[in-house]
Amino acid sequence: MSNTGWINALADLQQQGEPCVLVTIIEERGSTPRNAGSKMVVTRERIFETIGGGHLEFKAMEMAREMLASRSQDTRLERFSLGASLGQCCGGATVLLFEPMGEPQAQIAVFGAGHVGRALVPLLAGLPCKVRWIDSREAEFPPMIPAGVVRVLDEEVVDQVAAMPAGSYFIVMTHNHQLDLELTAAILARDDFTYFGLIGSKTKRAKFEHRLRDRDVSPEVLQRMRCPMGIAEVKGKLPVEIAISIAGEVIATYNASFGENGNQRGESVAKLLPASRRG
């Protein structure tokens, strides 16, 4: 029986921006309902393909949906004995690998559809990010919006700050310094963001800091603002050069803790596999 529909399912879910968990049988011992390599894709409401049905599959679906609910990005290994505890009579054992897929590394609000915004948003769209592109000027948006990007046309741009979840990334690069200031004040007032970048020079930063201190924004919160934003080593002034610099800083931010648990996961794999497979 073919078990390749998961490939199309993953591609479709990625295009739709819907997170899922890929469940794979990576080890089988004794009698099991499906062979190693069998896969199942689990979303919050649907499943694609099968790892054999029964209580094992139900338990795997339950675990996968717990991971989706908690937005976990960590892979997970679980060993199951296919006996009475699972209501299955195969008598064998299996190891399942749970891999979160499609959950964005960053939810990003980009304020401004000017030259740099138009260069930046396609770069962000190619990353594991969910992007809201916000401006009050419809004519500034290009005719084609990159896949995975939500265009937001709003006369009250500042209201969109509150629409973002905690832990979001905010990038401010509008056509108006006063609007930049109001957006900055609203973002800093939240103080629950992962990243906040404001386009501009050190002089602009100094002016904004002075005005924000007058609004009782604390020095500690002001220090969380990236202005100038982007990778300092990139000195170019072209919109695409600035955009690449900003995208690099976004990547560096969401990759800051990448791989911290890698060794632990590797050790877990070794413990779950038979000695003959450990190398």
Side-chain angles (χ1 to χ4, degrees):
M1 182 177 179
S2 173
N3 184 231
T4 58
W6 63 272
I7 298 175
N8 292 331
L10 279 182
D12 290 343
L13 292 168
Q14 184 176 27
Q15 181 67 28
Q16 298 161 18
E18 183 176 355
C20 62
V21 175
L22 178 63
V23 183
T24 305
I25 299 176
I26 64 168
E27 185 70 22
E28 53 176 322
R29 302 186 72 181
S31 179
T32 59
R34 295 298 296 270
N35 296 331
S38 296
K39 297 177 184 289
M40 175 177 68
V41 178
V42 182
T43 74
R44 291 185 175 94
E45 298 179 351
R46 297 177 288 171
I47 65 166
F48 303 87
E49 296 298 334
T50 180
I51 55 170
H55 287 273
L56 171 66
E57 186 163 290
F58 179 81
K59 186 64 177 177
M61 289 166 51
E62 185 179 63
M63 289 181 172
R65 285 175 174 151
E66 287 173 358
M67 294 173 71
L68 289 169
S70 65
R71 299 181 66 182
S72 171
Q73 292 295 296
D74 293 327
T75 55
R76 177 175 175 179
L77 283 162
E78 295 287 344
R79 187 180 189 278
F80 298 90
S81 296
L82 305 180
S85 62
L86 278 180
Q88 298 198 210
C89 57
C90 300
T94 189
V95 176
L96 299 184
L97 172 65
F98 295 78
E99 297 176 278
M101 302 280 180
E103 189 71 47
Q105 291 280 2
Q107 298 206 45
I108 305 178
V110 177
F111 293 90
H115 294 302
V116 178
R118 290 195 294 272
L120 174 64
V121 167
L123 296 177
L124 298 178
L127 301 173
C129 300
K130 185 176 180 180
V131 181
R132 286 171 62 85
W133 193 7
I134 305 155
D135 205 304
S136 61
R137 305 163 299 161
E138 185 171 11
E140 292 300 310
F141 288 105
M144 297 294 292
I145 302 298
V149 175
V150 176
R151 188 192 79 155
V152 180
L153 185 65
D154 192 342
E155 289 294 329
E156 302 298 330
V157 171
V158 179
D159 290 349
Q160 290 295 321
V161 172
M164 297 296 292
S168 292
Y169 290 52
F170 294 91
I171 296 174
V172 174
M173 48 176 61
T174 80
H175 60 293
N176 184 292
H177 273 224
Q178 185 60 35
L179 179 56
D180 281 356
L181 179 64
E182 297 307 321
L183 284 165
T184 297
I187 294 164
L188 294 180
R190 288 186 54 154
D191 196 26
D192 63 353
F193 51 88
T194 296
Y195 173 89
F196 165 42
L198 171 67
I199 198 165
S201 63
K202 292 180 180 179
T203 300
K204 180 177 179 178
R205 181 188 183 105
K207 290 179 179 178
F208 271 39
E209 285 187 347
H210 177 74
R211 294 176 185 177
L212 291 164
R213 281 195 294 268
D214 288 343
R215 301 190 188 194
D216 296 324
V217 178
S218 72
E220 292 76 20
V221 173
L222 282 172
Q223 284 303 307
R224 300 194 61 203
M225 176 176 70
R226 292 285 301 165
C227 180
M229 64 174 156
I231 299 171
E233 288 76 10
V234 178
K235 306 295 186 183
K237 300 299 183 183
L238 295 175
V240 69
E241 293 173 325
I242 298 169
I244 290 170
S245 171
I246 296 167
E249 191 165 80
V250 167
I251 294 168
T253 301
Y254 71 63
N255 276 352
S257 60
F258 181 76
E260 285 183 357
N261 298 319
N263 289 337
Q264 293 176 356
R265 286 200 291 270
E267 291 168 3
S268 298
V269 172
K271 289 176 183 177
L272 286 166
L273 294 179
S276 62
R277 293 287 300 278
R278 294 180 194 170

